Amino acid sequence: MPSEQPFEAPFEDGLGEALRRTGETFAPPDRAALVDAGLARGRRRVARRRAAVVTGSALALAAVGIGGAYGGGLLGGKQGGDRHGETSVAAPDPAPTGPAPSVDADLVAILAGLLPGGELKNPTTNTSETPGFRSVRGVFDDGKGDAEISVGLSRADGLQADQQVACPDKVFTAYDDCVESELADGSRLMVFQGYEYPDRREDTKNWRAVLHTSDGFLVDASEYNAPAEKGAEISRADPPLNPAQLQALVTSDDWRGPLNELPAARPPADGGFGDAADPDGAGIRKTLSSLLPAGLRVRDQGGQEGFAYVVVDDGKGRSYVQINVQPNMWDVVGELFPGATELPDGTLLKTSKTAGEKGVGGIKMWTADTIRPDGLRVVVSAFNAADQKSPATRENPALTMKQLTAIATSEKWLTRP
């Protein structure tokens, strides 16, 4: 039997610490450009997330916010705005290595023209090396307090796009309001009023509108009640645009020209979960459900790219089970799998029994964490509660460590349903 070894910290904490250590070693001249670069790369890879999506945090919104939600884009990417086509009027690179880039004036003009009664300061645009994505951002000054605002344009990507216009699961994300609607032309819209930090450790508000057009584009706008989405003091009670104005911003026909210029998206990869850049939550949930032991009733379920959860009940109380499936993760094996057991096929396995991660007393978290030789990481955890924020419902999780290990190491992850 594989040995049970406690993690020094949950995966999201470990990666977060690595990001902090990395960030302390340099001071980029254009932080907005780096964030936008991370955003563009992030739309193509689920493994990039700021919190590394292993603890079931709210990923749909964290994954696509135009602001610092892609701080994780610093991993594995180039540094410096001129290498990605990102530029800033306010903070150009003091030592450029090539021709000075220019701001995409068309995007800046469109955003500035759609904002009500104010000035767009320090505009920044992104013409990323990743095909199919453009963005514009700046600080909006309407005389009531500076506020960062941004708009991202991309081609829709099947299930991923559907998730971007679906309100997040309140099991994971606390927010004030969220409304989904279908427009007359068949486009789908989500307007969200929440917070940059779902745990409210800071009161920075993040209001968003995301439009999935009927012809396959995404228009994604974010705004804050501060001049930056992180690291800036709150400048006003609410972001400057109300929900109706946010809707008008993303549904404006002015974006049609830049949208039509985006290159076509690549077709999804075939094969197993390890071949997919963004394994979809529905497929992961289907495979997870097929691997659950007999006698468990599924009471609730959900998921998104790279992540799924079920709440099961064996008659002794509900138990929350979450799973993350992340391709191309071999570069973190040295940090996350020290002392792991190597299985005959080369898969590394590490198991742990720890307290829950949300500070609720009595919560137990049992985890089987695996990474295959091709870099496919499958992490499955079970809890003795119906979610991570509520009191325990039972003595132990409904799945044993042996059952969790069987799920994580199953060959079903080598094919997609």
Side-chain angles (χ1 to χ4, degrees), residues 30-43 64-71 73-74 81 84-88 123-130 133-138 148-152 229:
D30 189 352
R31 295 180 183 275
L34 288 177
V35 169
D36 278 341
L39 172 61
R41 290 192 299 275
R43 289 184 184 275
V64 297
I66 298 295
Y70 274 96
L74 294 173
H84 288 285
E86 308 93 337
T87 58
S88 173
T124 300
T125 57
N126 175 295
T127 52
S128 168
E129 65 183 6
T130 301
F133 173 74
R134 299 172 71 183
S135 73
V136 56
R137 60 191 295 142
E148 181 176 307
I149 189 166
S150 55
V151 176
E229 44 81 34

Side-chain angles (χ1 to χ4, degrees), residues 52-406:
V53 291
V54 167
T55 59
S57 43
L59 307 183
L61 291 181
V64 297
I66 298 295
Y70 274 96
L74 294 173
L75 288 177
K78 304 173 186 176
Q79 296 170 2
D82 60 317
R83 302 176 195 174
H84 288 285
E86 308 93 337
T87 58
S88 173
V89 170
D93 191 332
T97 57
S102 60
V103 168
D104 188 329
D106 290 342
L107 290 184
V108 173
I110 292 171
L111 177 57
L114 293 173
L115 295 175
E119 175 189 3
L120 183 66
K121 302 187 298 187
N122 304 334
T124 300
T125 57
N126 175 295
T127 52
S128 168
E129 65 183 6
T130 301
F133 173 74
R134 299 172 71 183
S135 73
V136 56
R137 60 191 295 142
V139 176
F140 181 52
D141 180 6
D142 61 357
K144 301 176 183 178
D146 286 356
E148 181 176 307
I149 189 166
S150 55
V151 176
L153 309 175
S154 64
R155 286 190 177 270
D157 187 13
L159 179 63
Q160 176 181 344
D162 292 340
Q163 292 168 342
Q164 307 315 325
V165 289
C167 290
D169 195 327
K170 280 200 168 182
V171 170
F172 307 123
T173 304
Y175 52 86
D176 293 333
D177 194 21
C178 186
V179 177
E180 302 173 25
S181 59
E182 183 170 339
L183 306 184
D185 66 353
S187 299
R188 294 179 58 197
L189 175 74
M190 180 197 72
V191 179
F192 170 86
Q193 293 175 272
Y195 299 85
E196 171 62 16
Y197 298 98
D199 61 7
R200 301 290 300 277
R201 61 183 181 270
E202 293 182 14
D203 285 329
T204 306
K205 292 183 178 179
N206 175 14
W207 289 6
R208 296 181 58 225
V210 185
L211 176 73
H212 181 193
T213 70
S214 57
D215 57 346
F217 294 100
L218 284 174
V219 183
D220 183 347
S222 291
E223 60 171 344
Y224 303 85
N225 61 334
E229 44 81 34
K230 282 184 176 61
E233 292 189 8
I234 292 171
S235 58
R236 52 195 298 150
D238 293 321
L241 306 185
N242 62 35
Q245 291 170 318
L246 266 179
Q247 175 173 338
L249 176 63
V250 297
T251 57
S252 171
D253 288 337
D254 291 357
W255 300 114
R256 179 51 57 178
L259 288 171
N260 289 334
E261 294 172 0
L262 295 173
R266 294 180 300 175
D270 294 326
F273 287 97
D275 295 328
D278 294 296
D280 67 87
I284 294 172
R285 188 172 66 249
K286 184 176 181 179
T287 300
L288 171 61
S289 297
S290 74
L291 293 170
L292 292 174
L296 295 180
R297 295 187 62 185
V298 176
R299 300 291 191 179
D300 196 6
Q301 58 185 319
Q304 57 196 58
E305 308 139 78
F307 169 76
Y309 76 89
V310 294
V311 179
V312 299
D313 190 346
D314 59 0
K316 301 177 182 178
R318 298 193 177 195
S319 179
Y320 174 75
V321 181
Q322 66 180 26
I323 190 164
N324 293 263
V325 179
Q326 303 169 313
N328 307 314
M329 292 294 289
W330 195 256
D331 57 338
V332 302
V333 67
E335 180 180 356
L336 300 176
F337 287 85
T341 298
E342 184 172 352
L343 304 182
D345 66 352
T347 296
L348 297 182
L349 167 67
K350 194 169 185 180
T351 59
S352 67
K353 292 183 177 181
T354 64
E357 301 167 326
K358 306 302 181 183
V360 179
I363 299 296
K364 297 179 181 179
M365 175 182 177
W366 294 2
T367 299
D369 194 350
T370 65
I371 189 166
R372 296 179 183 271
D374 65 355
L376 177 63
R377 187 178 184 211
V378 179
V379 192
V380 59
S381 299
F383 299 77
N384 62 332
D387 57 56
Q388 297 192 59
K389 300 178 293 183
S390 302
T393 56
R394 50 190 297 135
E395 177 64 23
N396 292 314
L399 275 67
T400 67
M401 188 62 71
K402 182 178 180 180
Q403 291 168 332
L404 291 170
T405 298

